[in-house]
Amino acid sequence: MTLDLSDVTLTYPDGDARLTALDRVSLTVPAGTTTAVIGPSGSGKSSLLAVAATLITPDRGRVVVAGTDTTGLGRARTAALRRRTIGIVFQQPHLIASLTAAEQLQVMAHLDGRSPRSARLRAERLLAAVGLTGQADRRPHQLSGGQRQRVNIARALMNDPAVLLVDEPTSALDHDRGAAVVDLLTDLTRDRGTATVLVTHDRGHLNRVDRVVEMHDGRLRVSTGPAPR
Ligand code: ADP
Ligand code: MG
């Protein structure tokens, strides 16, 4: 079990009151599997990812990442854990305009103290794994939207995370390119053994994930069992 949230409650200040974004949410994602999270806008999907990513500390509940309980871990140790064990893919790729595809990935390795040579090799391998062989020296404006999202995914894998958190990666893509990105994510999840959470509002992409859960007003419920393969 590489990601385990239990009884997580998160509130945000809302005028004089508090808004409950996550209401006693429990979720376990085993290694090598993909759990899709669906639900209407404002239901708490991104908040769930932010808590799983240790970017926000919940009011209550426990977040265990790769066997480490993050409760009361402290800022520095949480940041180190995040860097080593969590890969995050945001909705927009946020690539750096002046860097090539390989360099976007190498920046991540630099943060973790890897040698430039091994970082370059790893970047090239990951770019090949996401279908971008031969594109390593292209800059973002020389890539399509789908290709940029693939660079974004490869970058999240650079430090070999145990947990992969992905927020609506297909929202800027047409159906076929979106489906290809979800296929890629489920394949990478199986090959690399990551515990993957995939937020999406496109139900057409759900046939290859292992489980679908649904958020509604901050509550989570299992929507379907294992999806047909
Ligand atoms: P989703 O990703 O499903 O659209 P979010 O997790 O972004 O949902 O938001 C859940 C609820 O929390 C919404 O009502 C949203 O307005 C509120 N919310 C999200 N982020 C913040 C924040 N930083 N401060 C206050 N309220 C927030
Ligand atoms: Mg969201």
Side-chain angles (χ1 to χ4, degrees), residues 6-73:
S6 50
D7 218 18
V8 167
T9 293
L10 172 70
T11 65
Y12 295 114
D14 183 38
D16 292 335
R18 313 271 314 170
L19 183 153
T20 302
L22 297 175
D23 190 1
R24 290 161 288 160
V25 168
S26 295
L27 176 68
T28 299
V29 184
T33 69
T34 302
T35 295
V37 181
I38 59 173
S41 182
S43 60
K45 304 181 300 297
S46 293
S47 298
L48 178 69
L49 284 194
V51 166
T54 72
L55 292 168
I56 303 181
T57 305
D59 304 37
R60 274 191 286 121
R62 210 161 51 99
V63 179
V64 180
V65 177
T68 302
D69 188 344
T70 62
T71 313
L73 199 57

Coordinates of all heavy atoms in Angstrom, one line a residue, residues 6-73:
S6 N -6.5 8.3 5.7 CA -7.6 7.8 6.5 C -8.3 8.9 7.3 O -7.6 9.7 7.9 CB -7.2 6.6 7.4 OG -6.1 7.0 8.1
D7 N -9.6 9.0 7.1 CA -10.5 9.9 7.8 C -10.0 11.3 7.7 O -9.9 12.0 8.7 CB -10.5 9.4 9.3 CG -11.9 9.6 9.9 OD1 -12.9 9.7 9.1 OD2 -12.0 9.6 11.1
V8 N -9.7 11.8 6.5 CA -9.1 13.1 6.3 C -10.2 14.1 6.2 O -11.1 14.0 5.3 CB -8.2 13.1 5.0 CG1 -7.9 14.5 4.6 CG2 -7.0 12.3 5.2
T9 N -10.1 15.2 7.0 CA -11.0 16.3 6.9 C -10.2 17.6 6.6 O -9.2 17.8 7.3 CB -11.9 16.5 8.2 OG1 -12.8 15.4 8.3 CG2 -12.7 17.7 8.1
L10 N -10.6 18.3 5.6 CA -9.9 19.6 5.3 C -11.0 20.7 5.2 O -12.0 20.6 4.5 CB -9.2 19.4 4.0 CG -8.5 20.7 3.4 CD1 -7.4 21.2 4.3 CD2 -8.1 20.6 2.0
T11 N -10.7 21.8 5.9 CA -11.6 23.0 5.8 C -10.8 24.2 5.3 O -9.6 24.2 5.6 CB -12.4 23.3 7.1 OG1 -11.4 23.7 8.1 CG2 -13.1 22.1 7.6
Y12 N -11.5 25.1 4.6 CA -10.9 26.4 4.2 C -11.7 27.5 4.9 O -12.9 27.3 5.1 CB -11.0 26.6 2.7 CG -10.2 25.6 1.9 CD1 -10.9 24.7 1.0 CD2 -8.8 25.6 1.8 CE1 -10.2 23.9 0.2 CE2 -8.1 24.8 1.0 CZ -8.8 23.9 0.1 OH -8.2 23.0 -0.7
P13 N -11.0 28.6 5.2 CA -11.8 29.7 5.8 C -12.8 30.2 4.7 O -12.4 30.2 3.5 CB -10.7 30.8 6.1 CG -9.4 30.3 5.6 CD -9.6 28.8 5.1
D14 N -14.0 30.6 5.1 CA -15.0 31.0 4.2 C -15.8 32.1 4.9 O -16.8 31.8 5.5 CB -15.9 29.8 3.8 CG -16.9 30.1 2.8 OD1 -16.6 30.9 1.8 OD2 -18.1 29.6 2.9
G15 N -15.4 33.3 4.7 CA -16.0 34.4 5.5 C -15.8 34.2 6.9 O -14.7 33.9 7.4
D16 N -16.9 34.2 7.7 CA -16.8 33.9 9.1 C -16.9 32.4 9.5 O -16.7 32.0 10.6 CB -18.0 34.6 9.9 CG -17.8 36.2 9.8 OD1 -16.6 36.6 9.6 OD2 -18.8 36.9 9.9
A17 N -17.2 31.6 8.4 CA -17.4 30.2 8.7 C -16.2 29.4 8.1 O -15.2 30.0 7.7 CB -18.7 29.7 8.1
R18 N -16.3 28.1 8.0 CA -15.3 27.3 7.3 C -16.1 26.4 6.3 O -17.2 26.0 6.5 CB -14.6 26.3 8.3 CG -14.1 26.9 9.6 CD -12.7 27.4 9.6 NE -11.7 26.6 9.0 CZ -10.5 27.0 8.8 NH1 -10.2 28.3 9.1 NH2 -9.5 26.3 8.2
L19 N -15.4 26.3 5.1 CA -16.0 25.4 4.1 C -15.3 24.1 4.2 O -14.1 24.0 4.2 CB -15.7 26.1 2.8 CG -16.2 25.5 1.5 CD1 -16.4 26.6 0.4 CD2 -15.2 24.4 0.9
T20 N -16.1 23.0 4.2 CA -15.5 21.7 4.3 C -15.2 21.1 2.9 O -16.1 20.8 2.2 CB -16.5 20.7 5.1 OG1 -16.7 21.3 6.4 CG2 -15.9 19.3 5.2
A21 N -14.0 21.1 2.5 CA -13.6 20.6 1.2 C -13.4 19.1 1.2 O -13.7 18.5 0.1 CB -12.3 21.3 0.8
L22 N -13.0 18.5 2.3 CA -12.9 17.1 2.4 C -13.5 16.7 3.7 O -13.2 17.2 4.8 CB -11.4 16.6 2.4 CG -10.6 16.9 1.1 CD1 -9.1 16.5 1.2 CD2 -11.2 16.2 -0.1
D23 N -14.4 15.7 3.6 CA -15.2 15.4 4.8 C -15.0 13.9 5.1 O -15.6 13.0 4.5 CB -16.7 15.6 4.4 CG -17.6 15.5 5.7 OD1 -17.1 15.2 6.8 OD2 -18.8 15.6 5.5
R24 N -14.1 13.6 6.0 CA -13.8 12.3 6.5 C -13.5 11.3 5.3 O -14.1 10.3 5.2 CB -14.9 11.7 7.4 CG -15.0 12.4 8.7 CD -16.3 12.2 9.4 NE -17.3 13.0 8.7 CZ -18.7 12.8 8.8 NH1 -19.1 11.8 9.6 NH2 -19.5 13.5 8.2
V25 N -12.6 11.7 4.5 CA -12.2 10.9 3.3 C -11.2 9.8 3.7 O -10.2 10.1 4.3 CB -11.7 11.8 2.2 CG1 -11.1 11.0 1.1 CG2 -12.8 12.7 1.7
S26 N -11.5 8.6 3.3 CA -10.5 7.5 3.4 C -10.3 6.9 2.0 O -11.2 6.7 1.3 CB -10.9 6.4 4.3 OG -11.0 7.0 5.7
L27 N -9.0 6.7 1.7 CA -8.7 6.2 0.3 C -7.3 5.4 0.4 O -6.3 6.0 0.9 CB -8.6 7.3 -0.7 CG -8.2 6.9 -2.1 CD1 -9.3 6.1 -2.8 CD2 -7.9 8.2 -2.9
T28 N -7.3 4.2 0.0 CA -6.0 3.5 -0.1 C -5.8 3.1 -1.6 O -6.6 2.5 -2.2 CB -6.1 2.2 0.7 OG1 -6.4 2.6 2.1 CG2 -4.8 1.4 0.7
V29 N -4.6 3.4 -2.0 CA -4.2 3.1 -3.4 C -3.0 2.2 -3.4 O -1.9 2.6 -3.0 CB -3.9 4.4 -4.2 CG1 -3.6 4.1 -5.6 CG2 -5.0 5.4 -4.1
P30 N -3.2 0.9 -3.8 CA -2.1 0.0 -3.8 C -1.1 0.3 -4.9 O -1.4 0.9 -5.9 CB -2.7 -1.4 -4.0 CG -4.2 -1.2 -3.8 CD -4.5 0.3 -4.1
A31 N 0.2 -0.1 -4.7 CA 1.2 0.1 -5.7 C 0.8 -0.6 -7.0 O 0.2 -1.7 -7.0 CB 2.5 -0.5 -5.2
G32 N 1.2 0.0 -8.1 CA 0.9 -0.6 -9.4 C -0.5 -0.4 -9.9 O -0.9 -1.1 -10.9
T33 N -1.3 0.4 -9.2 CA -2.7 0.5 -9.6 C -3.1 2.0 -9.8 O -2.5 2.9 -9.1 CB -3.7 -0.1 -8.6 OG1 -3.7 0.7 -7.4 CG2 -3.4 -1.5 -8.3
T34 N -4.1 2.2 -10.6 CA -4.6 3.6 -10.8 C -6.0 3.7 -10.3 O -6.9 2.9 -10.6 CB -4.6 3.9 -12.3 OG1 -3.3 3.7 -12.9 CG2 -5.1 5.3 -12.6
T35 N -6.2 4.7 -9.4 CA -7.6 5.0 -9.0 C -8.0 6.3 -9.6 O -7.3 7.3 -9.5 CB -7.6 5.2 -7.4 OG1 -7.3 3.9 -6.8 CG2 -9.0 5.7 -7.0
A36 N -9.1 6.3 -10.3 CA -9.6 7.6 -10.9 C -10.6 8.2 -9.9 O -11.3 7.6 -9.3 CB -10.3 7.3 -12.2
V37 N -10.5 9.6 -9.9 CA -11.4 10.3 -9.0 C -12.2 11.2 -9.9 O -11.7 12.0 -10.7 CB -10.6 11.2 -8.0 CG1 -11.6 12.0 -7.1 CG2 -9.7 10.4 -7.1
I38 N -13.5 11.0 -9.9 CA -14.4 11.9 -10.7 C -15.3 12.7 -9.7 O -15.3 12.4 -8.5 CB -15.3 11.0 -11.7 CG1 -16.1 10.0 -10.9 CG2 -14.4 10.3 -12.7 CD1 -17.1 9.3 -11.8
G39 N -16.1 13.6 -10.3 CA -17.0 14.4 -9.4 C -17.1 15.8 -10.0 O -16.2 16.2 -10.7
P40 N -18.2 16.5 -9.6 CA -18.4 17.8 -10.2 C -17.4 18.8 -9.8 O -16.6 18.5 -8.8 CB -19.8 18.2 -9.7 CG -20.1 17.2 -8.6 CD -19.3 16.0 -8.8
S41 N -17.3 19.9 -10.5 CA -16.4 21.0 -10.1 C -16.7 21.5 -8.7 O -17.9 21.6 -8.4 CB -16.6 22.1 -11.2 OG -15.7 23.1 -10.9
G42 N -15.7 21.7 -7.9 CA -15.9 22.1 -6.5 C -16.2 21.0 -5.5 O -16.4 21.3 -4.4
S43 N -16.1 19.8 -6.0 CA -16.4 18.7 -5.1 C -15.3 18.3 -4.2 O -15.4 17.5 -3.3 CB -17.0 17.5 -5.8 OG -16.0 17.0 -6.8
G44 N -14.1 18.8 -4.4 CA -12.9 18.5 -3.6 C -11.8 17.7 -4.2 O -10.9 17.3 -3.5
K45 N -11.9 17.4 -5.5 CA -10.9 16.6 -6.1 C -9.5 17.1 -6.0 O -8.5 16.4 -5.6 CB -11.3 16.4 -7.6 CG -12.7 15.8 -7.8 CD -13.0 15.6 -9.3 CE -12.9 16.8 -10.2 NZ -13.9 17.9 -9.8
S46 N -9.3 18.4 -6.3 CA -8.0 19.0 -6.3 C -7.5 19.1 -4.8 O -6.3 18.9 -4.5 CB -7.9 20.3 -6.9 OG -8.1 20.2 -8.3
S47 N -8.4 19.3 -3.9 CA -8.0 19.3 -2.5 C -7.5 18.0 -2.0 O -6.6 17.9 -1.3 CB -9.2 19.8 -1.6 OG -9.7 21.1 -2.0
L48 N -8.2 16.9 -2.5 CA -7.8 15.6 -2.2 C -6.3 15.3 -2.7 O -5.5 14.8 -2.0 CB -8.7 14.6 -2.8 CG -8.4 13.1 -2.7 CD1 -8.6 12.7 -1.2 CD2 -9.3 12.2 -3.6
L49 N -6.0 15.8 -3.9 CA -4.7 15.6 -4.4 C -3.7 16.4 -3.6 O -2.6 16.0 -3.3 CB -4.6 16.0 -5.9 CG -5.2 15.0 -6.9 CD1 -4.7 15.4 -8.3 CD2 -4.8 13.6 -6.6
A50 N -4.1 17.6 -3.3 CA -3.1 18.5 -2.5 C -2.8 17.9 -1.2 O -1.6 18.0 -0.7 CB -3.7 19.9 -2.4
V51 N -3.8 17.3 -0.5 CA -3.5 16.7 0.7 C -2.6 15.4 0.6 O -1.7 15.2 1.3 CB -4.8 16.3 1.5 CG1 -4.6 15.3 2.6 CG2 -5.5 17.6 2.0
A52 N -3.0 14.6 -0.5 CA -2.2 13.4 -0.8 C -0.7 13.8 -1.1 O 0.2 13.1 -0.8 CB -2.8 12.6 -1.9
A53 N -0.6 15.0 -1.7 CA 0.8 15.5 -2.2 C 1.5 16.1 -1.0 O 2.7 16.5 -1.2 CB 0.6 16.5 -3.3
T54 N 0.9 16.1 0.2 CA 1.5 16.8 1.4 C 1.7 18.3 1.2 O 2.5 18.9 1.9 CB 2.8 16.2 1.9 OG1 3.9 16.5 1.0 CG2 2.7 14.6 2.0
L55 N 1.0 18.9 0.2 CA 1.1 20.3 0.0 C 0.2 21.1 0.9 O 0.5 22.2 1.3 CB 0.7 20.7 -1.5 CG 1.7 20.2 -2.5 CD1 1.1 20.3 -3.9 CD2 3.0 20.9 -2.5
I56 N -0.9 20.4 1.4 CA -1.8 21.0 2.4 C -1.9 20.0 3.6 O -2.1 18.8 3.3 CB -3.2 21.3 1.9 CG1 -3.1 22.2 0.6 CG2 -4.1 21.9 2.9 CD1 -4.5 22.5 0.1
T57 N -1.8 20.5 4.8 CA -2.0 19.6 6.0 C -3.5 19.6 6.3 O -4.1 20.7 6.5 CB -1.2 20.1 7.1 OG1 0.2 20.2 6.7 CG2 -1.3 19.2 8.3
P58 N -4.1 18.5 6.4 CA -5.5 18.4 6.7 C -5.8 18.8 8.2 O -4.9 18.8 9.0 CB -6.0 17.0 6.5 CG -4.7 16.2 6.6 CD -3.6 17.1 6.2
D59 N -7.0 19.2 8.5 CA -7.4 19.6 9.9 C -7.3 18.3 10.7 O -6.9 18.4 11.9 CB -8.9 20.1 9.9 CG -9.1 21.3 9.0 OD1 -8.6 21.3 7.9 OD2 -9.9 22.1 9.5
R60 N -7.8 17.2 10.1 CA -7.8 15.9 10.9 C -7.5 14.8 9.9 O -7.7 14.9 8.7 CB -9.2 15.7 11.5 CG -9.4 16.3 12.8 CD -10.6 15.9 13.5 NE -11.8 16.5 12.9 CZ -12.8 15.8 12.4 NH1 -12.8 14.5 12.3 NH2 -13.8 16.4 11.9
G61 N -7.1 13.7 10.4 CA -6.9 12.5 9.6 C -5.4 12.2 9.4 O -4.6 13.0 9.8
R62 N -5.2 11.1 8.7 CA -3.8 10.6 8.5 C -3.5 10.4 7.0 O -4.3 9.9 6.3 CB -3.7 9.3 9.3 CG -2.4 9.0 9.8 CD -2.5 7.9 10.9 NE -3.3 6.8 10.4 CZ -2.7 5.7 10.0 NH1 -1.4 5.5 10.0 NH2 -3.5 4.7 9.5
V63 N -2.3 10.9 6.6 CA -1.8 10.6 5.3 C -0.5 9.8 5.4 O 0.5 10.3 5.9 CB -1.6 12.0 4.5 CG1 -1.1 11.7 3.1 CG2 -2.9 12.8 4.5
V64 N -0.5 8.6 4.8 CA 0.7 7.8 4.9 C 1.2 7.6 3.4 O 0.4 7.1 2.6 CB 0.4 6.4 5.5 CG1 1.6 5.6 5.5 CG2 -0.2 6.6 6.9
V65 N 2.4 8.0 3.2 CA 3.0 8.0 1.8 C 4.1 7.0 1.8 O 5.1 7.2 2.6 CB 3.4 9.4 1.4 CG1 4.1 9.3 0.0 CG2 2.3 10.4 1.4
A66 N 4.1 6.0 1.0 CA 5.2 5.0 0.9 C 5.6 4.6 2.3 O 6.8 4.5 2.6 CB 6.3 5.6 0.1
G67 N 4.7 4.3 3.2 CA 5.0 3.7 4.5 C 5.3 4.8 5.6 O 5.5 4.4 6.7
T68 N 5.4 6.0 5.2 CA 5.7 7.1 6.1 C 4.5 7.9 6.5 O 3.8 8.5 5.7 CB 6.8 8.1 5.6 OG1 7.9 7.3 5.2 CG2 7.1 9.1 6.6
D69 N 4.2 7.9 7.8 CA 3.0 8.7 8.3 C 3.5 10.2 8.3 O 4.5 10.5 9.0 CB 2.7 8.2 9.7 CG 1.4 8.9 10.2 OD1 1.0 9.9 9.6 OD2 0.8 8.4 11.2
T70 N 2.8 11.0 7.6 CA 3.2 12.4 7.4 C 2.7 13.3 8.6 O 3.1 14.5 8.7 CB 2.8 13.0 6.1 OG1 1.4 13.0 6.1 CG2 3.3 12.2 4.9
T71 N 1.9 12.7 9.4 CA 1.3 13.5 10.5 C 2.4 14.0 11.5 O 3.2 13.2 12.0 CB 0.3 12.7 11.4 OG1 -0.5 12.0 10.5 CG2 -0.5 13.5 12.3
G72 N 2.5 15.3 11.6 CA 3.5 15.9 12.5 C 4.9 15.7 12.1 O 5.9 15.8 12.9
L73 N 5.2 15.5 10.8 CA 6.5 15.2 10.3 C 7.4 16.5 10.2 O 8.6 16.4 10.3 CB 6.4 14.6 8.9 CG 7.6 13.9 8.4 CD1 8.0 12.7 9.3 CD2 7.3 13.3 7.0

